[in-house]
Amino acid sequence: MKLGLKLLQERAKVGSFWWPYISNLPETYTVPIFFSGEDIKNLQYAPLLYQVNKRCRFLLEFEQEVKNVLKNLKPSEHPFGGQDVDASSLGWAMSAVSSRAFRLYGKKLPNGTHSDIPMMLPLIDMCNHSFNPNARILQEQDAGNPKMLIKVVAEREIKQSDPLLLNYGCLSNDFFLLDYGFVIPSNPYDHIELKYDGALMDAASMAAGVSSPNFSSPAPWQQEILFQLNLDGEVPNLKVTIGGPELVEGRLLGALRVLLSNDREMVQRYDLSVLKSLSAEGPLGVANEVAAFRTIIALCVIALGHFPTKIMDDESLLKQGVSVSTELAIQFRMQKKSVIIDVMRDLTKRVKLLLSKETTTA
């Protein structure tokens, strides 16, 4: 937020060197903190709702902190020229920074690495995003060097009138919407978050017809592996993901393979990295692999059921014409549903292939 406060300070300063740049920044941003309450609900995705509410709470609390600091200052000492700094202006500054700043090299650390520092780069921040960029940012010298130079260099031949495209990062749509105010269709890095929970795994395995008592009551040796996967213990990380480059997060896949197996000796033959790898085809046998995949497919069905609307309903709403924020919310939830459906299709193909191989072998 430090850069955001500096932005507000320069915006309030008469004759600021940066005024030509600041005056051309958008007056409003299409990030969810500015959505109406109804459109926040329209996102229909609990992890993002949590992040939006968290940011809104932060802005309201930070507003009070700023006001407490400013209330006793003399007009000549006021860093914002006497202008009121409220949650709305703080939200504008935060959105301007999150959507336009780039993280570049800061000071060189004793270990030889560099700290990251956010910088707002006039003109450069007009470049749009692409996972297949035609340009990149090149930074010469450290941030503290007065001769530091930042430039955009072409990665390939760029034709006249073609837009300059930078890769903002291999991010999920959660981050693109939260920080930049847009959604990437068919984003290969998009995923859904689930909470690893024994009761949920039980429900999924029962729905898949592969019920196992080990989900709620794992054997001690299975519990030890869950601990190694950081899915058990005093401070476990229970957030797991489906979708994205991994398709299924390795920790979730490894846990399912282990919990659906009663063969301790076979499990212990394999390194944890193998048990977590989707490319390791059926390390614990075809039946185990099919059971794990079917459980994940059932998890997807459960996750899909948490959305109040279907993709067809969403498409129909978009055709009716809606506000920009409503459109973004609908596009976001459509992409999440598409991620789930794509994972289900992929795993269903894998199950069929495994069963066909088993039949051929038999």
Side-chain angles (χ1 to χ4, degrees):
M1 200 59 206
K2 187 183 294 185
L3 184 56
L5 290 173
K6 180 63 177 175
L7 181 62
L8 286 177
Q9 186 180 33
E10 291 295 328
R11 188 175 73 165
K13 187 187 296 182
V14 177
S16 168
F17 172 81
W18 297 105
W19 176 247
Y21 169 65
I22 295 172
S23 64
N24 280 291
L25 291 175
E27 293 182 8
T28 59
Y29 289 91
T30 56
V31 292
I33 60 170
F34 293 117
F35 283 12
S36 67
E38 189 62 30
D39 281 336
I40 290 175
K41 289 180 183 177
N42 281 333
L43 293 166
Q44 298 182 356
Y45 183 63
L48 188 64
L49 293 177
Y50 172 79
Q51 290 298 329
V52 174
N53 290 330
K54 182 179 178 181
R55 292 191 180 196
C56 290
R57 284 196 305 271
F58 165 77
L59 289 171
L60 291 171
E61 291 169 3
F62 195 53
E63 174 189 25
Q64 292 305 312
E65 288 183 34
V66 172
K67 287 187 174 181
N68 288 336
V69 171
L70 297 178
K71 64 182 179 181
N72 296 321
L73 292 181
K74 298 176 183 177
S76 59
E77 297 173 343
H78 199 289
F80 305 104
Q83 294 185 13
D84 187 33
V85 178
D86 57 15
S88 179
S89 59
L90 290 169
W92 175 86
M94 184 170 74
S95 301
V97 170
S98 73
S99 64
R100 307 186 84 84
F102 295 87
R103 286 204 163 272
L104 301 178
Y105 290 135
K107 294 180 180 179
K108 193 170 184 178
L109 302 175
N111 62 4
T113 61
H114 290 78
S115 61
D116 286 342
I117 183 169
M119 298 184 191
M120 298 189 76
L121 307 175
L123 295 182
I124 292 178
D125 63 9
M126 295 178 70
C127 298
N128 286 329
H129 162 78
S130 173
F131 290 129
N132 184 29
N134 56 19
R136 63 185 173 90
I137 293 178
L138 182 65
Q139 178 182 354
E140 297 178 356
Q141 305 294 339
D142 297 339
N145 192 316
K147 294 183 179 180
M148 182 185 70
L149 180 65
I150 299 171
K151 54 188 178 183
V152 174
V153 296
E155 291 280 69
R156 58 177 184 266
E157 184 179 350
I158 302 175
K159 296 179 181 178
Q160 186 176 355
S161 300
D162 280 357
L164 292 179
L165 302 171
L166 300 172
N167 188 344
Y168 292 2
C170 300
L171 307 172
S172 70
N173 276 334
D174 303 51
F175 287 105
F176 278 122
L177 185 56
L178 274 172
D179 288 341
Y180 297 99
F182 60 80
V183 173
I184 302 287
S186 303
N187 181 350
Y189 301 98
D190 203 16
H191 57 253
I192 62 161
E193 291 181 13
L194 299 173
K195 181 181 178 182
Y196 181 87
D197 177 76
L200 176 61
M201 299 302 147
D202 267 336
S205 64
M206 288 178 66
V210 292
S211 182
S212 169
N214 296 328
F215 289 115
S216 297
S217 304
W221 65 271
Q222 292 171 323
Q223 199 163 5
E224 173 58 30
I225 296 176
L226 290 178
F227 177 79
Q228 293 174 33
L229 292 169
N230 200 19
L231 293 172
D232 199 353
E234 292 184 5
V235 191
N237 175 15
L238 300 179
K239 183 180 76 174
V240 293
T241 60
I242 292 175
E246 265 193 302
L247 193 69
V248 180
E249 185 181 330
R251 295 189 309 134
L252 174 61
L253 180 60
L256 291 175
R257 281 170 168 168
V258 170
L259 292 174
L260 287 166
S261 174
N262 292 316
D263 193 334
R264 179 179 181 178
E265 289 186 7
M266 178 178 281
V267 171
Q268 292 180 337
R269 287 180 203 163
Y270 295 97
D271 187 80
L272 203 57
S273 61
V274 174
L275 296 174
K276 290 165 57 180
S277 173
L278 189 62
S279 60
E281 294 186 11
L284 303 182
V286 171
N288 175 274
E289 196 78 341
V290 168
F293 287 169
R294 282 179 170 165
T295 302
I296 297 168
I297 292 169
L299 280 173
C300 289
V301 173
I302 293 171
L304 205 55
H306 286 164
F307 289 92
T309 59
K310 298 179 180 179
I311 289 181
M312 289 178 63
D313 301 327
D314 297 334
E315 290 173 339
S316 178
L317 286 171
L318 289 177
K319 289 177 182 177
Q320 295 174 18
V322 292
S323 67
V324 172
S325 58
T326 302
E327 182 177 356
L328 280 169
I330 294 174
Q331 288 175 343
F332 174 83
R333 73 195 193 205
M334 285 177 66
Q335 292 304 313
K336 289 297 178 186
K337 295 168 196 174
S338 295
V339 168
I340 297 171
I341 292 169
D342 287 345
V343 171
M344 291 170 65
R345 285 174 177 162
D346 188 294
L347 293 181
T348 299
K349 289 179 182 177
R350 290 173 187 263
V351 167
K352 289 179 178 178
L353 183 60
L354 285 167
L355 293 175
S356 67
K357 285 182 178 179
E358 187 178 43
T359 303
T360 303
T361 305

